[in-house]
Amino acid sequence: MQIRELSVPDSYEITPKQFADDRGVFLEWYRFDKLEEVIGHPLDLRQANTSVSQRGVVRGIHYADVPPGQGKYVTVTHGAGIDFVVDIRAGSPTFGQWDSVILDTVDRRAVYVAEGLGHAFIALTDDATLTYLVSDVYKPGAEHDINVLDPEIGLEFPPELGNLVLSPKDKIAPTLAERLADGSLPSYAAVTEYYEANRKERN
């Protein structure tokens, strides 16, 4: 597999090698050792999630308190979508910037999102099935959101999708500026310290 760092540091695009024949296709969509070589520690798998979305559904931008945060390894097992990673770490040199990867059943890519980064997804097809491994269980009190339509962030969605579908909670989520003002964003310094401590603990 090939692993490429995205323009948002500490997030990566993973492209697996596929083996196709007249029976179908085989691939390794996750290799803990290959990911560990890049991020410096293994993904401490605590939970696995699946969401199924209709075309035009947007989920996000979501993030969790650090520590412990919630590292994510995300892929699509049916249909297609665009996965977005947003740097919401207050004080980061790339604060407010984002990158995206098309996830589908053609290239079968995955995305790794480190703790402290924001994550969003838009379905390009009906029944787009997003499957992801996470480093901690869901903790309602530690989970937060940012408005996915915040113009300051400026995520770009395909215009042909028309009206986007958001959950009631995501529709009223605060902007990035509001989250920065209320002090609920992860600190870049604290998150970086957490990354380094995690690497030392594992090595």
Side-chain angles (χ1 to χ4, degrees):
M1 59 176 51
Q2 296 180 339
I3 302 179
R4 176 181 70 88
E5 188 167 25
L6 299 176
S7 61
V8 174
D10 304 303
S11 64
Y12 297 86
E13 172 195 87
I14 300 95
T15 304
K17 185 175 182 180
Q18 301 186 58
F19 301 89
D21 58 26
D22 55 2
R23 299 169 300 167
V25 177
F26 175 84
L27 67 145
E28 296 174 343
W29 71 273
Y30 171 68
R31 278 281 299 266
F32 85 97
D33 54 340
K34 299 296 185 183
L35 184 64
E36 181 178 357
E37 288 176 9
V38 173
I39 67 174
H41 62 86
L43 175 62
D44 189 6
L45 178 60
R46 299 295 180 90
Q47 185 172 309
N49 302 329
T50 296
S51 67
V52 181
S53 303
Q54 299 309 302
R55 187 174 187 268
V57 167
V58 185
R59 299 177 185 268
I61 301 167
H62 300 147
Y63 68 99
D65 290 336
V66 182
Q70 198 178 61
K72 300 176 181 178
Y73 190 95
V74 187
T75 193
V76 157
T77 53
H78 179 80
I82 304 175
D83 205 70
F84 296 92
V85 182
V86 185
D87 194 342
I88 60 168
R89 301 169 295 188
S92 168
T94 54
F95 179 73
Q97 296 182 27
W98 59 273
D99 205 345
S100 65
V101 176
I102 293 178
L103 301 182
D104 57 27
T105 55
V106 177
D107 295 311
R108 302 183 190 274
R109 293 189 174 96
V111 174
Y112 173 74
V113 183
E115 297 88 346
L117 295 174
H119 178 250
F121 176 82
I122 183 168
L124 299 178
T125 63
D126 285 336
D127 298 324
T129 304
L130 190 71
T131 299
Y132 47 112
L133 311 176
V134 294
S135 64
D136 198 17
V137 298
Y138 175 67
K139 296 176 180 175
E143 302 287 333
H144 308 286
D145 49 14
I146 294 168
N147 198 302
V148 74
L149 303 179
D150 182 355
E152 182 182 352
I153 299 174
L155 297 184
E156 297 176 0
F157 304 108
E160 63 270 19
L161 291 179
N163 293 328
L164 304 179
V165 181
L166 281 70
S167 71
K169 183 173 179 288
D170 285 344
K171 283 182 180 178
I172 62 171
T175 65
L176 182 64
E178 289 169 335
R179 284 297 191 194
L180 183 62
D182 70 21
S184 63
L185 294 178
S187 157
Y188 179 69
V191 170
T192 301
E193 184 177 340
Y194 178 74
Y195 295 161
E196 290 304 317
N198 205 3
R199 293 181 182 115
K200 289 177 182 177
E201 180 182 329
R202 300 288 181 171
N203 294 330

